[in-house]
Amino acid sequence: MARVDPHSYFDDAQPRSTRWRLKLRVDFERKVLAGEVVLFFDGGASGVVDLDTKGLTIKHASAPFELASEEPILGSRLRLTLPAGTKDVTIAYETSPSAAGLQWLSPEQTEGKKKPFLFSQCQAIHARGVVPCQDSAGARIRYAAEIDVPEGLTAVMSAGPDGDAPGENGRHVFRFNMPQPIPSYLLALAVGELQGRDLSHRSRVWAEPATIEKAAWEFAGVESMIAKAEALFGPYDWDRYDMLVLPPSFPYGGMENPRMTFLTPTLLAGDRSLVDVVAHELAHSWTGNLVTNATAEHFWLNEGFTVWAERRILKALHGDEAAALGWAIGQRELEEALERFSDTPALTCLRTHLTGVDPDDAFSNIPYEKGARFVTALERAAGTKAFDEFVKAYMKRFRFQSITTETFYAFVEEKLPGLPAKVHASAWLDKPGLPAGAPRFVSARLDELNALADGWAAGRRPDPAALRQAPAAELVVFLQRLPRELSAADCAWLDANLKLNERGNYEILAQWLAIAAASGYEPAFPRLRALLSSVGRMKYVRPLYQALGKTPAGRALAREVFASAAPTYHALTRRAAESAMAKYPA
Ligand SMILES: [Zn+2]
């Protein structure tokens, strides 16, 4: 017996299923997926196999099975006992309407308002609520799928399309095939009224009809990003890079589902100013999807590397100044995350220990921004040329594998002997907080912006005309550095001179609204109410609920908005809002 993942019943001493065939009917009335999965055990297997499930109703299995009672984080273990020589097991099942990995949207929650919408979010451990499986990143699978949807809707998956045809009773069946082995958390499905636009020979964007033109314009530059990334990290190994723009309740900025990145519509700023999220999700095609963290305890290997890679792509596309602004914005987000986890400092180590901790509760910017600074420390100590060669060797050596921090450490030591000690790697990996001597990122423009913001408390005001037209990232840096709580007159000055309430760029808008919320600035309350009632992206929802906690008027607004909006929030968004409100004074 060897369970290797604190968040899964997966046991690497047991037979491993390496292929699935899914056949699912999408039932919008009952909010369930119903059908079957065939788990293939190539070469034949026998004995006990433990699967993860959560909220699933198991109707039948072609091998003897036993479903254990539900554990709070893990869910219910489904124990199969395979007769000798078993090549495959078919399990007929149905998902729960409250599955955390599936969000069922009513037509009113979509842009078009006419058709319902479904999307999945399986990371961290929600695949088990969609399919009974060995739900651990170390157990990679290939899959084929048949998804049966109401006529007029389109299904997309983290896989290659494999044809579609009319089904029975006014339904339509979409087939998919995923030939590359992926961890289960990268299983992804979305169903809705969707249209596609080709952006290059290997990239297409999908969105609702009302959004598709905007999306195609915003992401038109994706092919040049893919080319830059290939130059840095080696060939793109997934054939196609397609993107899906979801309705606004999607809880993340993006999710790197292979062949089909899922994106929040809050990226559609209308000026291509937020496409760094696409650079991030694309970079995951190497760091995360190709070389994967073995468990959530090594999450920084996915996200720290990807933030580093994202900023290398940004630098290659837009130069040092743009990358420095990205690092500066990330620095402030890191400081806020360290503050939020000040009561649980163990969660601010890169290498975490998560037995008994829900990975969604451990989620923060720390593996992203602290992790990226650690990778930069390694890059600077090795020299960029040597480190780039190392990264290519790393991708090649661990391609389509899921690894631990310890494996990574040993590989660095092997290729660049003495480098871990030189950067005090253990302080990064096993100690809380940010090590002294962490890399700093400087630029002349960054210094100017910091000086402008730092002058605020002394009564100095920036030239509004110059700042109003500054690139979005510059305005974000400035707003991030202002004091969090301002007078009503100061808030009014900011809004009047920088037109902040009207911004279509959500990074600017959210920075402004966080100040307005913490300051109890009521003229911004309608905009806050509108945002929190429609947008589910946790990056905005959590800090805004936190900021509203600073004043009685803000707390009243938060409670009112939450009472009406909570039923439409994604389960993850709802939890983020609830945990922010739980810290309000009584
Ligand atoms: Zn990421």
Side-chain angles (χ1 to χ4, degrees):
M1 290 280 284
R3 270 179 59 191
V4 289
D5 182 343
H7 301 119
S8 172
Y9 287 108
F10 168 60
D11 183 330
D12 71 354
Q14 296 176 355
R16 193 178 298 192
S17 164
T18 52
R19 241 168 2 106
W20 303 345
R21 192 172 65 221
L22 279 164
K23 218 172 161 175
L24 294 171
R25 185 177 196 279
V26 179
D27 185 338
F28 278 101
E29 281 74 46
R30 295 174 54 236
K31 297 188 168 61
V32 299
L33 302 176
E36 62 174 44
V37 61
V38 184
L39 306 175
F40 292 94
F41 296 88
D42 291 330
S46 66
V48 166
V49 176
D50 291 329
L51 304 181
D52 297 297
T53 76
K54 199 161 196 179
L56 299 182
T57 304
I58 307 296
K59 302 203 158 157
H60 172 80
S62 65
F65 71 94
E66 184 193 336
L67 187 65
S69 54
E70 179 162 329
E71 295 291 325
I73 297 169
L74 285 160
S76 306
R77 186 190 68 196
L78 178 65
R79 173 163 283 182
L80 301 172
T81 305
L82 309 185
T86 299
K87 294 230 166 58
D88 56 73
V89 175
T90 302
I91 302 171
Y93 71 97
E94 192 169 286
T95 62
S96 160
S98 60
L102 297 172
Q103 194 179 13
W104 301 85
L105 301 179
S106 65
E108 300 73 51
Q109 289 172 275
T110 67
E111 203 72 49
K113 316 277 181 212
K114 289 195 204 88
K115 301 271 171 70
F117 202 103
L118 163 69
F119 66 84
S120 68
Q121 168 57 40
C122 287
Q123 196 180 32
I125 54 169
H126 304 302
R128 67 195 60 182
V130 180
V131 52
C133 64
Q134 292 168 311
D135 192 12
S136 177
R140 283 176 181 263
I141 43 97
R142 296 175 166 84
Y143 73 88
E146 261 184 53
I147 307 296
D148 176 334
V149 306
E151 189 66 65
L153 299 185
T154 298
V156 295
M157 293 192 85
S158 56
D162 197 20
D164 64 283
E168 290 168 13
N169 305 324
R171 312 237 346 148
H172 203 88
V173 177
F174 290 83
R175 284 189 302 277
F176 301 92
N177 185 41
M178 183 59 182
Q180 290 101 353
I182 58 165
S184 48
Y185 75 80
L186 291 176
L187 174 74
L189 166 69
V191 179
E193 189 182 10
L194 295 175
Q195 283 183 2
R197 285 278 184 287
D198 283 332
L199 303 175
S200 79
H201 63 286
R202 56 178 161 177
S203 184
R204 175 182 297 174
V205 64
W206 291 89
E208 286 190 68
T211 315
I212 188 67
E213 295 302 339
K214 226 178 149 191
W217 186 86
E218 203 82 27
F219 304 130
V222 69
E223 185 57 38
S224 60
M225 273 189 188
I226 302 174
K228 292 285 183 220
E230 285 191 307
L232 286 166
F233 315 122
Y236 182 75
D237 258 332
W238 303 87
D239 307 329
R240 292 195 59 86
Y241 183 76
D242 293 338
M243 293 169 280
L244 169 66
V245 179
L246 289 158
S249 67
F250 184 57
Y252 291 106
M255 177 64 210
E256 65 269 24
N257 298 314
R259 289 166 171 255
M260 186 66 72
T261 281
F262 282 18
L263 295 169
T264 167
T266 61
L267 302 181
L268 303 176
D271 58 5
R272 297 180 181 155
S273 56
L274 297 177
V275 293
D276 54 336
V277 173
V278 175
H280 180 95
E281 305 312 331
L282 171 67
H284 270 304
S285 307
W286 289 266
T287 52
N289 299 0
L290 198 60
V291 182
T292 308
N293 55 212
T295 74
E297 295 182 332
H298 310 280
F299 191 47
W300 79 271
L301 280 173
N302 272 14
E303 295 301 349
F305 250 105
T306 299
V307 170
W308 172 82
E310 161 203 331
R311 297 204 180 123
R312 284 293 300 273
I313 296 173
L314 266 187
K315 185 170 149 175
L317 284 170
H318 305 301
D320 282 327
E321 288 276 340
L325 290 174
W327 284 106
I329 292 167
Q331 179 73 26
R332 183 46 62 101
E333 291 170 354
L334 174 59
E335 284 159 13
E336 285 165 5
L338 290 170
E339 167 77 32
R340 183 155 71 86
F341 284 83
S342 55
D343 295 341
T344 48
L347 293 177
T348 71
C349 300
L350 288 180
R351 203 292 190 211
T352 51
H353 299 272
L354 298 178
T355 301
V357 180
D358 188 321
D360 287 333
D361 293 338
F363 181 86
S364 78
N365 259 310
I366 291 156
Y368 291 72
E369 294 292 344
K370 181 180 175 185
R373 279 159 181 75
F374 174 48
V375 177
T376 302
L378 291 168
E379 178 194 345
R380 288 186 180 176
T384 294
K385 190 166 173 291
F387 193 69
D388 283 358
E389 278 167 30
F390 164 82
V391 169
K392 281 189 180 153
Y394 171 63
M395 300 296 161
K396 216 168 152 189
R397 169 78 170 72
F398 297 108
R399 171 173 194 271
F400 294 114
Q401 294 176 45
S402 302
I403 67 166
T404 62
T405 304
E406 293 72 31
T407 302
F408 171 78
Y409 190 103
F411 189 69
V412 181
E413 196 62 70
E414 178 195 322
K415 292 286 174 192
L416 298 165
L419 189 64
K422 203 169 161 189
V423 303
H424 307 288
S426 60
W428 288 93
L429 297 171
D430 301 319
K431 295 276 185 319
L434 193 62
R440 303 195 66 78
F441 304 88
V442 291
S443 90
R445 184 59 185 144
L446 188 55
D447 289 344
E448 284 171 27
L449 291 163
N450 287 343
L452 278 184
D454 293 345
W456 187 276
R460 288 193 294 279
R461 298 291 174 263
D463 169 16
L467 204 53
R468 189 159 55 230
Q469 279 146 34
E474 296 190 4
L475 196 46
V476 172
V477 167
F478 171 76
L479 291 170
Q480 268 188 330
R481 200 166 167 111
L482 286 182
R484 296 294 84 189
E485 290 162 55
L486 296 177
S487 68
D490 281 351
C491 288
W493 188 97
L494 283 172
D495 189 24
N497 286 295
L498 303 179
K499 306 285 175 230
L500 296 174
N501 253 338
E502 304 155 23
R503 294 282 172 160
N505 178 307
Y506 271 80
E507 292 296 317
I508 296 172
L509 184 63
Q511 283 301 327
W512 151 244
L513 290 178
I515 293 171
S519 309
Y521 181 63
E522 297 196 19
F525 279 17
R527 194 72 193 81
L528 272 161
R529 181 184 285 113
L531 188 150
L532 291 173
S533 300
S534 61
V535 173
R537 187 175 175 188
M538 291 189 288
K539 181 181 184 184
Y540 305 139
V541 170
R542 189 198 316 271
L544 290 177
Y545 273 101
Q546 274 169 356
L548 284 170
K550 296 277 186 193
T551 69
R555 292 193 288 276
L557 176 68
R559 291 187 177 113
E560 174 214 314
V561 173
F562 185 79
S564 70
T568 67
Y569 281 166
H570 189 280
L572 291 169
T573 307
R574 193 156 54 235
R575 270 179 59 169
E578 276 168 348
S579 73
M581 291 168 71
K583 299 201 176 91
Y584 286 4

